[in-house]
Amino acid sequence: MSATRAALPPKEQLDDPGGRPVDRRRGSTLLRHLAVVLAAGLLLVAVSYSVEPFRNFQLATVAAYLCATAGLTVLTGLNGQLSLGHGALMATGAYTVALCQTAFADRGMTGGWLLPLSLGAAIVSTVAVGAVVGVAAARLRGPYLAGVTLAVAVVVPALAVTFDGVFNGEQGLSVPVEPPPLSLGPYFPYERWQLWVTGAATLLALLLLANLIRSRYGRTFRAVRDDEVAARLAGIHVARTQVLAFVVSAATAGLGGALLAVLAQSVSPGAFSLTLSLFLLMAVVIGGLGRLTGALWGAVLLVALPDLTHSVTEMLTLSPAVAQRLEGNLPLAIFGLTLIVVMIAAPGGVQGLLSRLGRSLLARRPTRRS
């Protein structure tokens, strides 16, 4: 008996009955995620050379929104916490990067390391806010949790108006950003550089989230989501797990807001209203909860929706006042209608529908007989 026990690997290294070491599987998962991220980065660089500058800007905006939708997917889809305040978390990151970049510019500081430092400061500040909100949210359930996050979505933009001496009120702040490095050439398109910066930051965030989901923390997130009582009986600290999920989601939301501020080179309270928080939640539901690819579809929808509403209003012969009012309310109506259709036709979202179609096509493929 003792010889048999000595021959077995340690308990923490076993992951399945076949005795496959956990470390080896984790290493293969990390390598696979790295390969996917590198392939996506190369594809992004290739696409940036083949499309016009405006499309590069749109793709950069998709990447910025993807940070926020991916974090919200982890929070709501994997951990089961409903948040209506992610727009406020994005505003926290956006104002932080604006204040940092302005301070650097006022001191005459230059260098390629300033923007990553500002983005890091935005993540840290949003993590602090997310930790405070997460501690309160861990004690609440259902509509009370939604109410707290809804209050955050209303209060944070209002603070920018109240403390106008710091945040410049409704007019907002400018975000000074240095031009592309001279090593890329004197005529390197600025929009292409924006896509490279936002794409690199977003791919790094997705890499970390993908590995987090496949790790022990991801399994505890899902366990708490499925049954808190069973998770508590299994030895999982439920409140700590929920706070951790909120902090991770807040960090990515802050990064997304900071990237949006860098793209627009300005930040104002109107850009991060309650409507944005509702759009983010509906986007991840339509894209597919609990899947990072679903977050990608949601980010694409967030960027494509303004163009769609503008095209619809141009097709209709309306007075300028009615057209302006319709264009302001049409995005929410289209989002709501799309959400209803998706929930009826594809409860798993767009990514769930695509996965189901892929499985059905594979099932119909004829198998070769030996």
Side-chain angles (χ1 to χ4, degrees):
M1 179 67 69
S2 59
T4 304
R5 289 183 178 177
L8 290 174
K11 181 179 178 181
E12 62 270 16
Q13 292 184 2
L14 291 178
D15 192 59
D16 55 48
R20 186 180 181 185
V22 173
D23 294 338
R24 186 180 303 173
R25 199 169 91 165
R26 287 177 182 171
S28 63
T29 301
L30 178 59
L31 290 177
R32 185 168 65 250
H33 290 163
L34 282 174
V36 172
V37 167
L38 290 176
L42 293 176
L43 178 62
L44 200 64
V45 171
V47 169
S48 67
Y49 279 98
S50 60
V51 297
E52 57 188 11
F54 178 67
R55 297 304 177 190
N56 278 328
F57 180 79
Q58 283 187 317
L59 290 175
T61 308
V62 169
Y65 277 124
L66 180 55
C67 288
T69 55
L72 188 56
T73 295
V74 172
L75 179 66
T76 304
L78 265 71
N79 195 236
Q81 297 188 75
L82 179 63
S83 174
L84 299 177
H86 263 54
L89 297 175
M90 294 181 68
T92 303
Y95 272 98
T96 301
V97 77
L99 292 173
C100 290
Q101 289 293 107
T102 302
F104 293 150
D106 292 341
R107 289 169 172 79
M109 301 173 63
T110 59
W113 56 275
L114 294 178
L115 182 57
L117 184 61
S118 298
L119 295 177
I123 294 174
V124 171
S125 64
T126 315
V127 163
V129 175
V132 174
V133 179
V135 170
R139 300 175 179 269
L140 302 174
R141 301 292 181 273
Y144 303 102
L145 173 60
V148 168
T149 56
L150 181 64
V152 173
V154 175
V155 168
V156 170
L159 291 176
V161 180
T162 303
F163 299 96
D164 55 350
V166 178
F167 304 110
N168 200 25
E170 291 286 354
Q171 296 181 355
L173 300 173
S174 61
V175 183
V177 182
E178 295 185 11
L182 294 177
S183 59
L184 297 175
Y187 303 106
F188 192 84
Y190 186 70
E191 292 80 4
R192 186 183 300 164
W193 173 243
Q194 287 180 317
L195 177 57
W196 286 11
V197 171
T198 55
T202 302
L203 289 176
L204 179 59
L206 291 178
L207 176 63
L208 296 176
L209 286 179
N211 285 283
L212 178 70
I213 292 172
R214 296 296 297 271
S215 69
R216 177 173 61 89
Y217 296 102
R219 292 191 291 272
T220 57
F221 287 169
R222 287 185 286 268
V224 172
R225 176 200 63 188
D226 295 338
D227 194 329
E228 291 187 11
V229 177
R232 191 175 290 109
L233 292 175
I236 298 175
H237 198 296
V238 174
R240 188 183 303 164
T241 301
Q242 290 175 333
V243 172
L244 177 61
F246 211 102
V247 166
V248 170
S249 183
T252 55
L255 177 60
L259 292 176
L260 279 179
V262 170
L263 291 176
Q265 298 187 25
S266 64
V267 55
S268 62
F272 302 97
S273 61
L274 176 61
T275 305
L276 175 60
S277 298
L278 297 177
F279 280 169
L280 290 172
L281 183 60
M282 287 190 288
V284 296
V285 173
I286 293 172
L289 276 176
R291 305 179 183 184
L292 294 180
T293 47
L296 174 59
W297 293 115
V300 171
L301 184 59
L302 285 171
V303 176
L305 187 62
D307 290 340
L308 177 62
T309 56
H310 183 69
S311 301
V312 170
T313 53
E314 282 188 345
M315 292 171 57
L316 302 175
T317 55
L318 301 172
S319 62
V322 175
Q324 184 178 4
R325 185 179 304 174
L326 180 62
E327 189 171 352
N329 297 320
L330 194 58
L332 190 59
I334 292 179
F335 248 122
L337 181 62
T338 306
L339 181 62
I340 294 173
V341 172
V342 169
M343 288 299 98
I344 295 175
V350 174
Q351 185 59 36
L353 177 61
L354 294 177
S355 300
R356 190 169 57 187
L357 291 176
R359 287 193 299 268
S360 62
L361 291 176
L362 291 176
R364 292 179 182 178
R365 290 178 60 181
T367 57
R368 293 183 178 180
R369 295 182 179 180
S370 57

